[in-house]
Amino acid sequence: MLQLNVKNESSRLRAVVLGSALNNGPTPTVAEAYDPKSLEHILAGTYPIEQDMVAEMEALLLIFKKYDVTVFRPKMIENYNQIFTRDIGFVIDSTFIKANILPDRERELDAIQYIIDQINPEKVVRPPEEVHIEGGDVMLWNDYIFIGTYKGSDYKDYITARTNMAGVEYIKNLFPHKIVKEFDLVKSKIEARDNALHLDCCFQPVGNNKGIIYKSGFREEADYMFLVNLFGKENLFHITRDEMYDMNSNVFSIAPDVVISEKNFTRLNTWLTTNGFTVEKVPYAEIAKQEGLLRCSTLPLIRD
């Protein structure tokens, strides 16, 4: 049995589900694009190819092996994108929550069922249908659960709006002892530089008291200020609009002092190193073209 334990974003990682780029399928059509960044690359003819994405994920796998992390992979589905495991489920404390994802991605959950079968069934929950919530919007910070959402009345018109207020209420009811704080995110169907697809596209804690943040990803200044007051402005690395577009806030922590980052994130990586972090650099720029990066392609199961 897997004894799940995840209480924050940066404790020492012991077990993780890493997505897969094998047999990824053909480049999507314009109509099939889930987000504006993928659409941009489909139209430009620069959408990533399978062998490049497989190579990037292998580089990440090597880092996990270096740190002795147990890695699970989804079972392969022919011609299907299985990179972003973060969307399909997430762990809070010792509970595995299956995400209600976009309906045509349901098969991705089936591909990790063999892992879910190793968890105590009493610790596996599936929210009711009206609850929309994806792992990229759920961020744990010890006593806090941060959740990205979209409060606009036009929620249903946005394929980029992935977590609704019913999702926030569901988590509040499931974890009454936690402080659940939701953040209203900026969404765009057409401009990737103005679309915070998930909370981890504009914010992520690192270490014990630091974080990476993009101020303009929040629809309400008060939500941004909540994080500034909680972490302290001097502990937050503010990224630019282009750095947000390149997914600088979507790094992944293996330990309080070890962060996996994209090798081209020069400004961020310098800040991390200056602040005492070991930065494990990997190439991930091709995968980033699908508006997801390191955090998006990992689903932590056990942290110390």
Side-chain angles (χ1 to χ4, degrees):
M1 291 293 269
L2 284 169
Q3 302 293 329
L4 302 184
N5 184 51
V6 181
K7 289 187 164 57
N8 57 48
E9 296 297 321
S10 60
S11 290
R12 179 66 164 91
L13 183 70
R14 297 296 174 194
V16 68
V17 185
L18 172 63
S20 170
L22 282 173
N23 216 320
N24 202 252
T27 296
T29 62
V30 166
E32 289 168 335
Y34 287 130
D35 64 84
K37 194 167 180 184
S38 293
L39 177 62
E40 196 177 297
H41 287 287
I42 292 166
L43 292 170
T46 51
Y47 194 81
I49 60 170
E50 183 177 312
Q51 83 189 70
D52 291 345
M53 294 191 289
V54 168
E56 288 184 344
M57 298 200 85
E58 284 305 306
L60 179 53
L61 181 61
L62 286 174
I63 306 283
F64 287 141
K65 286 183 172 163
K66 175 180 170 181
Y67 286 89
D68 204 26
V69 175
T70 301
V71 180
F72 296 93
R73 307 299 290 268
K75 287 187 170 166
M76 193 183 72
I77 304 171
E78 299 276 329
N79 295 320
Y80 203 71
N81 187 334
Q82 294 177 270
I83 294 172
F84 299 120
T85 49
R86 180 74 64 158
D87 295 348
I88 60 178
F90 50 95
V91 175
I92 298 178
D93 290 352
S94 58
T95 302
F96 187 96
I97 295 122
K98 290 183 169 187
N100 282 340
I101 35 184
L102 299 168
D104 46 359
R105 294 185 60 187
E106 191 67 34
R107 294 162 67 196
E108 288 178 67
L109 256 175
D110 300 339
I112 64 162
Q113 187 59 45
Y114 83 97
I115 306 163
I116 297 169
D117 290 341
Q118 298 174 52
I119 302 166
N120 175 352
E122 289 173 17
K123 291 289 188 182
V124 180
V125 298
R126 182 84 192 249
E129 209 172 316
E130 68 277 4
V131 168
H132 297 177
I133 191 155
E134 290 189 354
D137 276 323
V138 179
M139 206 160 273
L140 310 181
W141 196 242
N142 305 318
D143 296 336
Y144 289 90
I145 303 175
F146 303 138
I147 304 181
T149 184
Y150 178 67
K151 296 181 182 177
S153 56
D154 53 353
Y155 175 93
K156 66 182 186 314
D157 299 333
Y158 280 84
I159 195 170
T160 54
R162 299 293 177 80
T163 297
N164 60 11
M165 282 305 291
V168 176
E169 291 306 317
Y170 178 79
I171 296 297
K172 279 182 177 171
N173 293 330
L174 207 55
F175 299 96
H177 58 292
K178 297 271 190 182
I179 305 160
V180 177
K181 165 69 180 144
E182 80 274 5
F183 298 88
D184 198 8
L185 304 180
V186 171
K187 302 286 178 180
S188 173
K189 289 181 278 195
I190 49 171
E191 173 50 81
R193 284 169 182 78
D194 300 317
N195 179 45
L197 189 66
H198 290 121
L199 179 59
D200 60 18
C201 297
C202 58
F203 171 71
Q204 189 179 175
V206 288
N208 294 318
N209 65 340
K210 292 185 167 46
I212 304 160
I213 196 162
Y214 176 60
K215 184 182 179 183
S216 301
F218 300 92
R219 291 214 313 165
E220 299 291 334
E221 174 116 5
D223 283 351
Y224 161 76
M225 286 309 299
F226 174 89
L227 291 168
V228 170
N229 292 330
L230 185 63
F231 283 79
K233 193 153 194 182
E234 70 285 355
N235 290 317
L236 292 171
F237 180 78
H238 282 72
I239 57 176
T240 65
R241 183 168 178 252
D242 280 338
E243 285 170 333
M244 191 282 286
Y245 171 76
D246 289 333
M247 314 283 305
N248 274 236
S249 61
N250 207 271
V251 296
F252 184 65
S253 295
I254 292 197
D257 58 345
V258 183
V259 177
I260 308 176
S261 178
E262 216 288 326
K263 64 182 175 63
N264 297 307
F265 292 171
T266 317
R267 206 172 73 87
L268 170 66
N269 294 342
T270 303
W271 177 80
L272 287 167
T273 307
T274 307
N275 280 282
F277 291 93
T278 298
V279 182
E280 293 286 356
K281 302 183 185 79
V282 292
Y284 232 65
E286 291 303 305
I287 285 171
K289 291 176 178 178
Q290 300 177 72
E291 209 158 333
L293 205 82
L294 295 154
R295 190 178 187 270
C296 296
S297 52
T298 52
L299 194 177
L301 300 173
I302 303 168
R303 289 186 184 272
D304 285 347

